[in-house]
Amino acid sequence: MTAPRTAGVAGRVNGDCPVKDATTVAAGIADDATLAVSGFGSVGDPKAVPRALAAAARDGRDLALTVVSGGSVGDPLDTDLVAAGGVARRYPYQATTAARTAANERELAFADRGIAGLSDEVRFGRLVDPDVAVVEAVAVGPGWLIPSTSVGQTPAYVRAADEVVVEVNDAQPMGLSAFHDVVVRDPPPDRGPLAVSAPGERVGESAVRFDPEKLRAVVRTDRRDDPYEFRDPTATDRRIADNVLTVLERAVDRDPVIGAAPTLQFGVGSLGNALMGALSGSSLADGELRYYGEVIQDGLLDLLADGDLAVASATSLALSVDGQDRVFDAPERYAEDVVLRPSNVSNAPSLIDRFGVVAVNSAVGVDLYGHVNSTHVSGARLINGIGGSVDFNRNAHLTVVALPATAAGGDVSTVVPLASHVDHTEHDTDVVVTEHGVADLRGKPPVARAEAIIECAAPAFRPDLRAYLDRARESSGHLPHDLSTAFDWQS
Amino acid sequence: MTAPRTAGVAGRVNGDCPVKDATTVAAGIADDATLAVSGFGSVGDPKAVPRALAAAARDGRDLALTVVSGGSVGDPLDTDLVAAGGVARRYPYQATTAARTAANERELAFADRGIAGLSDEVRFGRLVDPDVAVVEAVAVGPGWLIPSTSVGQTPAYVRAADEVVVEVNDAQPMGLSAFHDVVVRDPPPDRGPLAVSAPGERVGESAVRFDPEKLRAVVRTDRRDDPYEFRDPTATDRRIADNVLTVLERAVDRDPVIGAAPTLQFGVGSLGNALMGALSGSSLADGELRYYGEVIQDGLLDLLADGDLAVASATSLALSVDGQDRVFDAPERYAEDVVLRPSNVSNAPSLIDRFGVVAVNSAVGVDLYGHVNSTHVSGARLINGIGGSVDFNRNAHLTVVALPATAAGGDVSTVVPLASHVDHTEHDTDVVVTEHGVADLRGKPPVARAEAIIECAAPAFRPDLRAYLDRARESSGHLPHDLSTAFDWQS
């Protein structure tokens, strides 16, 4: 009955747990069931049950599942099961070609949700009412499980669901239990504050608890998460990262809140990789730097190993093959400085505020006044989803939006007159960075913001952007626009 | 030296405070100074110094002040001083014709900011660096003052400014000190959580503390705030309020978080008034209802007096002449159930979340997918500013946007294909309410949201909105739009 802090479990499946095969479990899930699944950053997601459901769908079973995941999940669900037509509704985020295509063809009823509030939305019945939670673990016992490479929304999902299916994955080392710090919040209106007082503090336990009566099945699996593959940063990536680094160095120098204990968040991908490269060896990499974000990738492990970074807190370990090998071979080496939290803690508005986080997130586009599009091309076509950027951009002490000035091989300006889809408003954007420069928007009225942002656009597009602004300024208006031509730039 | 909890101050000006006249104080303020002034909900703002500055500007003094207020302020600053051309830069909100006109003519460099984060923005130097704080009080002593009808951002502003000028207003009763609950947060990264555990809990003191060396002058005044004048709700207002009430009653019935202790926020104005009328006598008015918002107006006092409401927490007492008389004649009668907090506590994201607040805010327009415009007509012309709606809409347990379906006497639909200015994104809007219906957007993918929202539009506009949606759906895209015609509706 004991859920261990780090190890000492007598095998991975403890007590009298009903072990079944995935096909049997899948067959017992109703055709129109609502599933709440683990996974964040495309790791720690269940692998066998989604594949078994996909196989059944391909064999003609008429599935119309509703699936809410912690964050992005891997191919078993968002490629295999979605491509087999088994998913009717999907929340809150996706990052696969199959799911994106299905959403844009409106065959999949996708609804894009932020991360921090999702556990509450599911647990308290505002979004969906899950029938079955299907979650990956490294170990399970009566009324507890230990998550694998992501914690995500699992603590909320196993509470919200009527039944729980646990995939115990032998390819995920037991040592991962040393990373987790699981706390569960009481519901409003009497929930107390989150007790975490520093990015590296642990206040909870390794295990996720649930009503033991809910455990319907344990499925044994033995398959690693699909590893990340990182491309080398391009010259543009590096110029953007260098400009972000300049912003960060200035902030540490001039802003006592940031200077006291620089705490960064940035996303996975080319921006994050280039930024970690720029940080390494910079004046910020003095061992006091802290990371408080969503996802931990290889570069953060390098910064920790080199003594550049003091601590990294997130909800997901999204690693390359090499990164998996490093962590899986010696989890104890990293576990002291790496914490994996439920995503309503990793992304908690109150903690992002309390730690004075500097958020650095990418975007699809930015308009002249600082409204940011993170999700849709031409106002309509979904890319991935808003994810946690909404939590960090809103609540950070300093919010930096960093993006290449052009897309489509240079043919399209990402700096546009008016964003055709707004995910982050002008009220949240402090600094815009491209490879061409830095626009510090703080305290500036709209026209001054526009003038600063135009200097970050690619030189070839600046004259047209200036012409738009001039044309808009022919009319009165605090935030000048010429709506009749505002979208001429967007194909 | 003692700052009293409720009374007992030996006169309003205690100790060796330098009393001066407003003209002398105004003359000592640099032409290009940055002023941080009290005031929220157009009450509790300084009255004499702004008028003296306005008089000087009219007499030819070349003022180019930067002014950051707590929230909206009254005519001395935003009519007299602005109209005299004395203000060059202005934050974070305005609600006067003079300031609005100057902002839209771009003669006033206005920048619109939310409320909850503003104290930090000013105190930690990210927005402006105030030279002088000019704040109204009911009493002052060495190193402390007791605010009058609003607390607003005053605790942060007196800390941020180099010098402090206190207007002690004899027309504001000393008994107001019984309402205030002032707490001041430490800066990040080591600030703890806010200790307020219930909407009515008091954890601080009446006084705002500041370095006594900063006190440059005390100015005596004797003039009430300009009172609010409320028009009777129209038939449309009442229909909207009835629809909101239906949403609230359903929520109390079906959502255990809300049912446990319904806690509302709504804004000043016709919606708030009509909603208070609808609440009175409803099943919600059972004495357990709580208000956790920004501004307290007459109707809340009625609900308290009738035993319908348990407690009201805000940052401002914005009352009619009658309401002022009621409170000022017997403040002790109301002070037990009314708390005035600093606006970074009244609007704190963490507390809005912890109390499970239901936020009901109006808007200028809403688009088919739930993006909300609160601030700009035709994308360009500022009305007032975003104010605290951003804090509540984002962090509430249930976010209701309620607005009349038409503007301009019925000629214009407030439901539009694409919002030309986005203040609140689709990610935050749970329910849209008009006089024609209720659209519950929760869990719905974009097209289903659009179909629900169209049913809330005025009947005359529904065919064109449906035609837009049909046209947009001819192309692929998760969130269909036809950008070439999206703004045809906006003049």
Side-chain angles (χ1 to χ4, degrees):
Chain A
M1 284 289 290
T2 307
R5 173 76 238 175
T6 53
V9 184
R12 286 168 175 268
V13 180
N14 290 256
D16 190 22
C17 295
V19 177
K20 299 182 184 174
D21 67 273
T23 303
T24 304
V25 170
I29 292 173
D31 293 347
D32 62 350
T34 295
L35 307 186
V37 306
S38 65
F40 201 104
S42 302
V43 300
D45 51 327
K47 295 159 181 75
V49 174
R51 284 196 202 277
L53 287 164
R58 284 192 300 267
D59 284 349
R61 192 174 161 202
D62 192 17
L63 288 173
L65 300 167
T66 294
V67 181
V68 56
S69 58
S72 63
V73 295
D75 286 334
L77 202 155
D78 268 349
T79 299
D80 296 358
L81 184 53
V82 166
V87 182
R89 295 195 299 163
R90 181 80 180 85
Y91 313 86
Y93 187 89
Q94 58 69 38
T96 67
T97 302
R100 183 179 306 126
T101 302
N104 283 320
E105 294 302 323
R106 299 189 293 273
E107 294 159 358
L108 174 64
F110 177 80
D112 188 15
R113 305 299 303 159
I115 297 301
L118 189 63
S119 281
D120 277 3
E121 288 189 278
V122 172
R123 198 167 147 216
F124 303 122
R126 295 157 59 204
L127 189 70
V128 292
D129 187 8
D131 301 305
V132 188
V134 184
V135 298
E136 186 175 90
V138 297
V140 66
W144 58 266
L145 64 90
I146 298 177
S148 61
T149 35
S150 65
V151 181
Q153 321 272 358
T154 295
Y157 288 0
V158 295
R159 278 168 178 76
D162 298 328
E163 299 185 327
V164 176
V165 171
V166 180
E167 292 195 3
V168 173
N169 187 343
D170 286 324
Q172 305 272 35
M174 276 299 298
L176 285 170
S177 64
F179 292 91
H180 308 130
D181 188 61
V182 177
V183 291
V184 177
R185 302 194 73 183
D186 290 331
D190 295 318
R191 60 174 30 166
L194 276 168
V196 184
S197 64
E201 191 183 28
R202 289 172 198 273
V203 298
E205 60 176 350
S206 284
V208 171
R209 306 274 172 183
F210 58 93
D211 176 356
E213 300 295 317
K214 290 184 179 178
L215 184 64
R216 174 168 154 191
V218 171
V219 176
R220 303 299 300 253
T221 66
D222 188 4
R223 184 190 174 110
R224 279 198 186 178
D225 300 310
D226 284 336
Y228 276 71
E229 290 178 23
F230 297 110
R231 65 168 169 82
D232 286 334
T234 63
T236 299
D237 293 335
R238 282 197 299 268
R239 279 197 296 270
I240 297 169
D242 286 343
N243 285 341
V244 171
L245 186 64
T246 301
V247 172
L248 298 178
E249 286 173 334
R250 264 187 221 154
V252 167
D253 196 38
R254 299 180 191 176
D255 185 327
V257 166
I258 298 171
T263 306
L264 305 184
Q265 174 269 331
F266 44 83
V268 175
S270 56
L271 170 63
N273 277 336
L275 187 55
M276 287 186 284
L279 281 170
S280 175
S282 79
S283 66
L284 270 75
D286 62 352
E288 300 296 315
L289 191 65
R290 313 185 298 183
Y291 179 83
Y292 195 80
E294 279 183 352
V295 174
I296 289 168
Q297 46 191 326
D298 293 43
L300 285 173
L301 300 182
D302 295 334
L303 290 169
L304 283 166
D306 294 346
D308 294 334
L309 186 70
V311 67
S313 170
T315 193
S316 168
L317 268 177
L319 302 172
S320 70
V321 170
D322 283 350
Q324 288 181 352
D325 286 342
R326 281 164 66 182
V327 170
F328 292 3
D329 288 349
E332 67 284 354
R333 188 189 301 169
Y334 294 97
E336 192 175 333
D337 301 325
V338 174
V339 187
L340 293 185
R341 307 182 183 281
S343 47
N344 61 345
V345 180
S346 65
N347 289 39
S350 61
L351 297 182
I352 296 166
D353 168 70
R354 281 165 54 189
F355 302 154
V357 170
V358 179
V360 182
N361 287 291
S362 192
V364 177
V366 60
D367 76 16
L368 292 183
Y369 302 111
H371 297 271
V372 174
N373 175 9
S374 297
T375 56
H376 288 76
V377 173
S378 299
R381 291 197 302 280
L382 179 71
I383 302 174
N384 292 352
I386 192 162
S389 63
V390 66
D391 308 316
F392 288 95
N393 282 9
R394 290 175 173 190
N395 297 291
H397 182 73
L398 177 65
T399 299
V400 180
V401 173
L403 73 173
T406 60
D411 289 345
V412 173
S413 176
T414 61
V415 179
V416 296
L418 176 59
S420 58
H421 190 274
V422 175
D423 294 285
H424 314 285
T425 72
E426 56 173 331
H427 309 290
D428 295 321
T429 310
D430 292 326
V431 179
V432 173
V433 173
T434 70
E435 68 272 33
H436 298 292
V438 171
D440 190 333
L441 311 182
R442 288 174 288 182
K444 289 192 171 68
V447 171
R449 290 205 296 267
E451 288 168 343
I453 289 174
I454 289 172
E455 296 305 306
C456 292
F461 293 101
R462 288 179 204 165
D464 283 350
L465 287 165
R466 285 197 196 101
Y468 178 87
L469 182 61
D470 288 344
R471 194 163 62 246
R473 291 169 76 176
E474 288 170 12
S475 303
S476 68
H478 167 61
L479 193 145
H481 266 307
D482 172 27
L483 295 185
S484 66
T485 62
F487 287 152
D488 288 358
W489 290 50
Q490 315 209 17
S491 54
Chain B
M1 285 289 291
T2 307
R5 173 76 238 176
T6 55
V9 185
R12 286 169 176 269
V13 181
N14 289 258
D16 189 23
C17 295
V19 177
K20 299 182 184 174
D21 67 90
T23 305
T24 304
V25 170
I29 291 173
D31 294 346
D32 61 350
T34 295
L35 307 186
V37 307
S38 65
F40 200 104
S42 303
V43 300
D45 52 327
K47 296 159 180 75
V49 174
R51 283 195 202 280
L53 287 165
R58 284 192 299 268
D59 285 350
R61 192 174 161 201
D62 191 18
L63 287 172
L65 299 167
T66 295
V67 180
V68 58
S69 57
S72 64
V73 296
D75 286 334
L77 202 156
D78 268 348
T79 299
D80 296 357
L81 184 53
V82 165
V87 182
R89 294 194 300 163
R90 181 79 180 86
Y91 311 86
Y93 189 89
Q94 58 69 38
T96 68
T97 303
R100 184 179 307 125
T101 303
N104 282 320
E105 295 302 322
R106 300 190 292 272
E107 294 160 357
L108 174 63
F110 177 79
D112 188 14
R113 305 299 303 159
I115 297 301
L118 189 62
S119 281
D120 277 2
E121 288 190 278
V122 172
R123 197 166 148 218
F124 303 121
R126 294 157 58 203
L127 189 70
V128 293
D129 187 9
D131 300 306
V132 188
V134 185
V135 298
E136 186 175 90
V138 297
V140 66
W144 58 265
L145 65 89
I146 298 176
S148 61
T149 34
S150 64
V151 181
Q153 321 272 359
T154 296
Y157 289 180
V158 296
R159 279 168 176 76
D162 298 328
E163 299 185 327
V164 176
V165 171
V166 180
E167 291 195 4
V168 173
N169 187 342
D170 286 324
Q172 304 273 37
M174 277 299 298
L176 286 170
S177 64
F179 292 90
H180 308 131
D181 188 60
V182 177
V183 291
V184 176
R185 303 194 73 182
D186 291 330
D190 296 317
R191 58 174 33 167
L194 275 167
V196 183
S197 64
E201 190 183 28
R202 288 172 199 273
V203 298
E205 60 175 351
S206 285
V208 172
R209 307 274 172 182
F210 58 92
D211 177 354
E213 299 295 316
K214 289 185 180 179
L215 184 64
R216 172 167 154 191
V218 171
V219 177
R220 303 300 298 253
T221 66
D222 188 4
R223 183 189 175 110
R224 279 198 186 177
D225 300 309
D226 286 336
Y228 276 71
E229 291 179 22
F230 297 110
R231 65 169 169 78
D232 286 333
T234 63
T236 299
D237 293 334
R238 281 196 300 269
R239 280 198 294 271
I240 297 169
D242 286 343
N243 285 340
V244 171
L245 186 65
T246 302
V247 172
L248 298 179
E249 287 173 335
R250 264 188 222 155
V252 167
D253 197 38
R254 298 180 191 176
D255 185 328
V257 166
I258 298 171
T263 306
L264 305 184
Q265 174 270 333
F266 44 82
V268 176
S270 56
L271 171 63
N273 278 335
L275 187 56
M276 287 185 285
L279 281 171
S280 174
S282 79
S283 65
L284 271 74
D286 61 353
E288 300 296 314
L289 191 64
R290 314 185 297 182
Y291 179 82
Y292 196 80
E294 279 184 352
V295 174
I296 288 167
Q297 46 191 327
D298 293 43
L300 285 173
L301 300 182
D302 295 335
L303 290 170
L304 283 168
D306 294 345
D308 295 334
L309 186 71
V311 68
S313 170
T315 193
S316 168
L317 268 177
L319 302 171
S320 70
V321 170
D322 283 351
Q324 288 181 351
D325 287 343
R326 281 165 67 182
V327 171
F328 291 3
D329 288 350
E332 67 286 354
R333 187 189 301 168
Y334 295 96
E336 192 175 332
D337 301 326
V338 175
V339 187
L340 293 184
R341 307 182 184 280
S343 47
N344 60 345
V345 180
S346 65
N347 290 39
S350 61
L351 297 182
I352 296 165
D353 167 70
R354 280 166 53 189
F355 301 154
V357 171
V358 179
V360 183
N361 286 292
S362 192
V364 177
V366 60
D367 76 16
L368 293 183
Y369 303 111
H371 298 271
V372 174
N373 176 9
S374 296
T375 56
H376 287 77
V377 173
S378 300
R381 291 196 302 279
L382 179 71
I383 303 173
N384 292 351
I386 192 162
S389 63
V390 66
D391 307 317
F392 289 96
N393 283 10
R394 290 175 174 190
N395 297 291
H397 182 73
L398 176 65
T399 298
V400 180
V401 173
L403 74 173
T406 60
D411 289 346
V412 173
S413 176
T414 60
V415 179
V416 296
L418 175 59
S420 58
H421 190 274
V422 175
D423 294 286
H424 314 286
T425 71
E426 56 173 331
H427 309 291
D428 294 322
T429 310
D430 292 326
V431 179
V432 172
V433 173
T434 70
E435 68 273 33
H436 298 292
V438 171
D440 191 333
L441 312 183
R442 288 174 288 182
K444 290 191 170 68
V447 171
R449 290 204 297 267
E451 288 168 344
I453 289 174
I454 289 172
E455 296 305 305
C456 292
F461 293 100
R462 288 179 204 166
D464 282 349
L465 287 164
R466 285 195 197 102
Y468 177 86
L469 183 61
D470 288 343
R471 195 163 61 245
R473 291 169 77 178
E474 289 169 12
S475 302
S476 68
H478 167 62
L479 195 146
H481 266 307
D482 172 27
L483 294 185
S484 66
T485 63
F487 288 152
D488 288 357
W489 290 49
Q490 315 209 18
S491 56

